[in-house]
């Protein structure tokens, strides 16, 4: 479904030094996967998610979605495709001046969905994420877990078949984390949505991912079925994320 080959991304710092955020990353995400990308802070995870979400063009390499090369799409076609991908950002990114219902409706306003249809979809999505009774409240009146549920509902508004999640549980306590992960699993199973989840918590991979890639200093160092990687970690960084102490 999403094929990334030899993707690299460089930024130029204000002092004109090159920052390599991604270096020759290749991966194949299959339809129906809950694919985990795990790594330490600054490894390049959010950069990769922005590239997959078509928010930023890669410096080198290719992204294929459903077999079509989307790397060099521009203008209307790019915007259209971008809107078919749901993204949950690190830190929610909700519109603070809009109610919960207004946030969920927003992507449908952008794509010109008629009002009655929009309202019906908002009701359906708020029910899905368990927030029907919070529709008229504002983000500032919600808990972190509830904000994340609004972000999930909004990301699915236009019937996205892919959901990209950047650290969806990093600011939540363990019980709320379990409920958000349960919701993501439910969305994957019931709606058939392919999910890419970025995290630095191995527990997230253990709870919901069927495959995982480990990223370290802008490169993938290990990739495979989640169970295999968790049980037989090959790389030092994977073992560190698993909390396994190395002999010096
Ligand atoms: N727009 C940008 N301009 C310049 N450098 C950037 C930009 N975005 C990211 N970087 C750099 O790229 C590297 C990777 O950043 P990225 O945000 O992808 O890390 P991350 O793995 O998501 O970290 P975290 O777990 O802390 O969110 C960092 O060194 C960062 O400073
Ligand atoms: Mg990040």
């Amino acid at each position: 479904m999403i094929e990334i080959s030899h993707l690299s991304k460089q930024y130029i710092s204000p002092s004109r030094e090159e920052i390599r955020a991604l270096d020759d990353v290749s991966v194949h995400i299959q339809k129906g996967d809950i694919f985990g990308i795990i790594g330490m802070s600054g490894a390049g995870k959010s950069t990769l998610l922005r590239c997959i979400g078509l928010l930023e063009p890669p410096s080198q390499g290719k992204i294929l979605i459903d077999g079509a090369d989307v790397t060099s799409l521009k203008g209307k076609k790019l915007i259209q495709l971008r809107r078919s991908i749901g993204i949950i950002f690190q830190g929610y990114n909700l519109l603070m001046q809009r109610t919960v219902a207004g946030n969920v409706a927003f992507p449908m306003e952008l794509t010109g969905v008629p009002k009655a249809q929009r309202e019906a979809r908002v009701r359906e999505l708020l029910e899905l994420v368990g927030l029907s009774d919070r529709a008229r409240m504002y983000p500032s009146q919600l808990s972190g877990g509830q904000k994340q549920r609004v972000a999930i509902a909004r990301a699915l508004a236009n019937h996205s078949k892919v959901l990209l999640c950047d650290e969806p549980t990093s600011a939540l306590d363990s019980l709320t984390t379990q409920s958000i992960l349960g919701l993501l699993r439910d969305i994957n199973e019931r709606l058939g949505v392919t999910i890419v989840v970025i995290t630095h918590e191995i527990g997230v991979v253990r709870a919901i991912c069927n495959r995982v890639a480990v990223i370290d200093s802008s490169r993938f160092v290990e990739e495979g079925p989640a169970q295999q990687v968790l049980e037989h970690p090959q790389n030092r960084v994977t073992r560190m994320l698993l909390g396994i102490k190395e002999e010096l």
Side-chain angles (χ1 to χ4, degrees):
M1 182 161 209
I2 303 173
E3 231 176 311
I4 293 163
S5 58
H6 304 292
L7 193 85
S8 295
K9 178 83 189 176
Q10 296 98 33
Y11 295 109
I12 304 295
S13 76
S15 54
R16 309 212 59 74
E17 274 167 79
E18 190 185 272
I19 301 167
R20 277 188 167 267
L22 293 172
D23 190 6
D24 197 21
V25 167
S26 296
V27 66
H28 194 170
I29 296 162
Q30 310 267 8
K31 194 169 168 12
D33 272 349
I34 302 186
F35 197 105
I37 296 170
I38 188 164
M40 310 288 278
S41 186
K45 305 183 297 295
S46 294
T47 305
L48 178 58
L49 201 85
R50 286 197 299 273
C51 288
I52 302 175
L54 310 178
L55 299 173
E56 266 189 71
S59 308
Q60 291 89 29
K62 267 191 185 159
I63 302 173
L64 304 183
I65 296 183
D66 287 334
D69 187 353
V70 300
T71 327
S72 50
L73 278 185
K74 288 202 176 62
K76 262 197 182 148
K77 283 212 164 123
L78 175 63
I79 292 172
Q80 234 169 27
L81 191 64
R82 193 183 279 158
R83 283 182 181 152
S84 71
I85 302 172
I87 306 186
I88 306 171
F89 293 96
Q90 202 167 357
Y92 319 122
N93 277 22
L94 297 180
L95 301 163
M96 301 308 278
Q97 310 301 330
R98 281 180 166 238
T99 60
V100 165
N103 268 278
V104 179
F106 187 64
M108 294 184 274
E109 289 172 24
L110 293 180
T111 50
V113 176
K115 188 155 182 267
Q117 220 172 309
R118 234 163 43 213
E119 287 174 354
R121 180 76 177 144
V122 168
R123 274 196 298 277
E124 188 179 304
L125 286 162
L126 289 183
E127 199 179 319
L128 174 77
V129 301
L131 284 181
S132 300
D133 56 343
R134 299 287 196 278
R136 295 156 74 95
M137 288 171 79
Y138 286 87
S140 63
Q141 299 169 306
L142 302 177
S143 71
Q146 290 167 339
K147 282 183 204 156
Q148 195 59 285
R149 287 172 183 271
V150 177
I152 292 170
R154 183 179 61 177
L156 295 173
N158 283 328
H159 300 273
S160 315
K161 284 284 149 216
V162 179
L163 183 60
L164 309 178
C165 315
D166 196 350
E167 303 269 9
T169 59
S170 62
L172 306 176
D173 64 52
S174 63
L175 208 63
T176 313
T177 293
Q178 293 315 314
S179 81
I180 292 289
L181 295 179
L183 175 61
L184 290 177
R185 195 190 297 115
D186 206 38
I187 286 166
N188 171 259
E189 283 173 3
R190 280 179 34 205
L191 308 179
V193 174
T194 303
I195 297 180
V196 180
V197 55
I198 286 209
T199 185
H200 62 269
E201 300 162 296
I202 203 82
V204 171
V205 175
R206 191 171 276 127
I208 59 168
C209 295
N210 65 315
R211 282 191 84 81
V212 64
V214 183
I215 184 168
D216 177 37
S217 310
S218 69
R219 286 178 155 265
F220 274 11
V221 292
E222 184 157 0
E223 198 237 311
Q227 202 182 348
Q228 182 189 314
V229 173
L230 291 172
E231 284 176 13
H232 306 286
Q234 299 298 309
N235 187 273
R236 185 186 57 86
V237 175
T238 319
R239 288 195 286 271
M240 199 164 75
L241 289 161
L242 277 161
I244 301 170
K245 292 214 168 60
E246 304 272 298
E247 302 267 331
L248 287 175

